[in-house]
Amino acid sequence: MIRERKSENVPSSLLTTSQYDGEDVKAQLLEDQHEKCYICKRKLGTDFEIEHFKSKNNYPELRQEWTNLFLACGYCNKKKFSSFDDNLYPLDTNIEDEIEQRIDFSRNKASFTTVIDDVPHQNAVRMLHVFYNGKQKMRVIKEERFFDEAKQKMNRFLEKVNAFLMEPTPANRTLVAAELSIEQEMLGFKYWVIRDNHLEAEFKDEIVWNKH
Ligand SMILES: [Zn+2]
């Protein structure tokens, strides 16, 4: 997860109808989130749902509140449901700085940590852990496929980073930079690969994303 940005213009169907999922809402969210799920950062094809940051079960008054609406993939939306309501709010938090996000290939796990000891940070860590590593001891099939997809994408990124570390040529730099564009997937994890390899200065212009 990374910080998100949302257009300040409230889609008109939120003001003139009792729906929260009008076409104008979906279109604006797709644009604001660069067509990605705000939790797992995968590209959204036709599988997307409007996600209430604070669930409509526990916060019915926020059902049509523009700042409470995000797009999530079906996998994340179903898993989040009304758990994790007290979570890190992506519009005012640099989530990529505050939650360390890594794939631990040797343990076949994703790991998430934070040094900030409050409920929203702890909940964000707990939520990501459940999404990537499963609820039970073993992942169920959907969880396994979700994790494998993440692993494959990070493997491809790591190959490019390693190529750049071995031969820091402009061509190799371009390949890494392209992977860090706001349009790309897995940015929260990629951010920590960049930091772990002391490449923040090198790619400082690429890893700004929504921080301004
Ligand atoms: Zn997702």
Side-chain angles (χ1 to χ4, degrees), residues 85-131:
D85 271 349
D86 190 1
N87 213 319
L88 278 184
Y89 187 56
L91 297 185
D92 63 14
T93 318
N94 293 337
I95 299 183
E96 62 270 36
D97 288 316
E98 298 183 10
I99 306 281
E100 299 185 24
Q101 307 165 54
R102 296 187 178 90
I103 300 285
D104 181 341
F105 287 91
S106 61
R107 290 171 60 232
N108 204 38
K109 268 183 166 276
S111 77
F112 305 96
T113 53
T114 179
V115 291
I116 303 172
D117 187 22
D118 63 17
V119 173
H121 285 83
Q122 300 303 330
N123 265 342
V125 164
R126 211 160 48 84
M127 175 180 83
L128 289 166
H129 176 77
V130 167
F131 285 22

Side-chain angles (χ1 to χ4, degrees), residues 126-148:
R126 211 160 48 84
M127 175 180 83
L128 289 166
H129 176 77
V130 167
F131 285 22
Y132 284 88
N133 297 322
K135 221 173 182 168
Q136 317 290 331
K137 222 172 182 172
M138 299 254 290
R139 295 184 186 95
V140 298
I141 293 174
K142 263 199 181 180
E143 291 165 345
E144 193 62 46
R145 292 176 72 112
F146 177 83
F147 181 69
D148 278 345

